[in-house]
Amino acid sequence: MSYRETVIAYADQQAKVYQDIALAIHDKPEVSNYEFFASETLAKQLEKEGFETKLDVAGHRTGFTAVYRGAKPGPVLVFLAEYDALAGLGHGCGHNLFGAASSLAAASLKQVIDEVGGEVRVYGTPGEEGGENGSAKGSFVREGFLKDVDAALCAHPGTEKNILTGKSLACAPVDIEFWGKAAHASGCPEKGINALDGLILTYTGINALRQHVTPDVRIHGIITNGGDAPNTVPDYAKAKFYLRAATAPGLENLYQRVVSIVEGAALATGAKGRLQPYQNRVENTVPTPSFDALFLKELESLGETAEKRDEDPKGSSDVGNISQVVPTIQPSLIISAEKLAGHSEDFRDAAASEFGLTFVPRAAKALALTALDLILEPETLAAIKAEHAAAVAAQEA
Ligand SMILES: [Zn+2]
């Protein structure tokens, strides 16, 4: 058997094991940094496959690494695994399939790695959907897990048509808080300092800012604390906001403008105001088209095709943080022929459907074969790395 045939045969042979894992994770949805069942199940399976695994990494108790070093030196390739669910909805983003497919891709590539050379890893990255200490990929980058890595690969479940890696927005999830002074709201309001007023002025200040930002910018938030009783001047108020822009410099500019709004509202009301991140900043995705072209070639060899993502980005993913430091692909492969809304009950159901489960071996094979190409064709890998470096540099210009 050729290397390719070995990889494909193993993915087919093991498909059911990983589909069952995807179903088990679907049955037990866990949110950001609480994915104990999912991370342990995937890590245990990879240990069975012969990987050296480590749980609780990069400051995330539900993060993991699985490493297999081949007998000969060669490229270090990482498959990124996500497995978090959405609060209240379950696996409405299909990350149960995502983590299982990346793990199967790694296990399949491992079958030939001693012969072709190199190293296969899976990074289990919690909390893609965000939350307290969410978007773990930023932590993996910060803590040096990508330093010796040549490329990163993963695939996301999608619907209607397969789509290659697209851009995504940089995003800063922040808490905005105000502290004032409680007082009877009618008896002695002059003694009080109204934290809620500080927050409301911030909210309207942000709305005034909207007219004067570039079209890529998205700002959206909720008020989570606005006081406890109408007859008491609120001494504490809190909002959670997402600030998004197409690039890191654009986001930083937006961030500072919102900081100024908070400072202005604090000055106006006498309340103390603070804006601070409650998790990693999510960076915009830098696509590497030649890497996607390689993936497309492999996908087509398996009888599927994919289109370029042409629309402007609206969402964000912490895969972006990885793509800022190594060439990265995250194509989306369909789990339903029909177009379904993301983060919906329909999407959640598709992620456990018969069609949905085909994602696991389909994505695993295409990703593993793409990684195999990177090992067998050093000049292709070098060209991809050069293109990626140029794309990263261009966005800073
Ligand atoms: Zn997702």
Side-chain angles (χ1 to χ4, degrees):
M1 273 206 285
S2 70
Y3 296 136
R4 298 174 54 83
E5 285 164 345
T6 303
V7 167
I8 292 170
Y10 193 79
D12 282 328
Q13 177 206 312
Q14 288 289 89
K16 174 98 177 34
V17 172
Y18 288 82
Q19 287 170 323
D20 286 347
I21 288 174
L23 276 179
I25 293 174
H26 192 274
D27 278 352
K28 231 180 157 109
E30 301 164 305
V31 298
S32 178
N33 288 289
Y34 286 87
E35 313 97 322
F36 294 104
F37 173 76
S39 57
E40 280 166 25
T41 303
L42 290 168
K44 233 177 245 165
Q45 175 59 30
L46 287 164
E47 211 164 272
K48 241 187 249 174
E49 299 276 8
F51 286 80
E52 196 179 306
T53 63
K54 202 169 166 200
L55 284 153
D56 191 0
V57 298
H60 296 268
R61 56 196 183 182
T62 54
F64 74 86
T65 56
V67 175
Y68 184 82
R69 201 164 292 127
K72 293 188 286 185
V76 178
L77 302 170
V78 173
F79 297 94
L80 303 168
E82 294 175 6
Y83 33 78
D84 61 320
L86 295 154
L89 184 64
H91 277 287
C93 205
H95 295 177
N96 60 312
L97 300 168
F98 191 130
S102 291
S103 301
L104 178 56
S108 304
L109 181 61
K110 176 181 171 286
Q111 303 310 307
V112 298
I113 204 78
D114 281 327
E115 287 169 76
V116 299
E119 187 172 324
V120 197
R121 297 182 192 168
V122 178
Y123 285 172
T125 56
E128 190 279 330
E129 301 292 355
E132 296 305 325
N133 195 25
S135 301
K137 294 184 193 73
S139 308
F140 278 72
V141 172
R142 193 174 52 244
E143 305 223 348
F145 285 77
L146 277 302
K147 272 197 181 131
D148 59 346
V149 169
D150 288 284
L153 308 91
C154 59
H156 197 288
T159 62
E160 196 186 16
K161 56 188 180 193
N162 296 334
I163 300 173
L164 299 173
T165 311
K167 292 181 178 173
S168 64
L169 299 175
C171 176
V174 296
D175 285 330
I176 299 175
E177 291 167 286
F178 279 87
W179 291 267
K181 197 173 157 204
H184 194 291
S186 179
C188 52
E190 70 282 1
K191 298 253 165 55
I193 298 174
N194 196 320
L196 180 60
D197 280 342
L199 191 59
I200 298 292
L201 284 179
T202 300
Y203 199 97
T204 54
I206 288 172
N207 281 344
L209 174 63
R210 291 181 197 281
Q211 192 191 341
H212 306 287
V213 294
T214 46
D216 56 303
V217 166
R218 290 284 185 277
I219 315 171
H220 43 101
I222 56 166
I223 293 179
T224 57
N225 298 66
D228 296 312
N231 58 353
T232 302
V233 173
D235 64 349
Y236 178 70
K238 180 177 177 182
K240 294 180 104 65
F241 268 84
Y242 277 18
L243 314 176
R244 307 198 205 219
T247 63
L251 179 58
E252 185 53 30
N253 179 273
L254 174 65
Y255 193 94
Q256 292 308 329
R257 288 170 85 176
V258 177
V259 166
S260 298
I261 289 171
V262 171
E263 287 169 357
L267 197 60
T269 57
K272 187 173 161 255
R274 185 177 71 186
L275 176 151
Q276 66 171 17
Y278 60 85
Q279 63 146 69
N280 287 326
R281 194 175 278 201
V282 176
E283 301 193 37
N284 58 294
T285 299
V286 182
T288 308
S290 60
F291 196 177
D292 275 282
L294 190 66
F295 174 81
L296 180 61
K297 189 190 85 181
E298 290 302 353
L299 189 68
E300 286 177 341
S301 81
L302 296 164
E304 292 192 58
T305 191
E307 294 177 20
K308 281 198 185 119
R309 193 183 297 269
D310 42 17
E311 74 268 32
D312 289 334
K314 298 273 185 327
S316 304
S317 163
D318 63 358
V319 170
N321 296 55
I322 305 286
S323 80
Q324 292 284 344
V325 290
V326 297
T328 304
I329 52 166
Q330 183 184 214
S332 83
L333 298 183
I334 61 170
I335 60 169
S336 152
E338 211 185 311
K339 191 175 174 71
L340 304 176
H343 294 197
S344 67
E345 290 182 6
D346 287 342
F347 200 102
R348 177 194 63 201
D349 296 345
S353 68
E354 203 177 320
F355 190 160
L357 288 171
T358 66
F359 175 90
V360 176
R362 284 162 51 226
K365 282 186 258 187
L367 291 174
L369 291 175
T370 306
L372 178 62
D373 290 338
L374 295 179
I375 297 171
L376 296 177
E377 302 167 23
E379 64 293 344
T380 303
L381 176 57
I384 285 171
K385 289 173 86 161
E387 184 183 299
H388 171 260
V392 170
Q395 65 176 355
E396 278 154 15

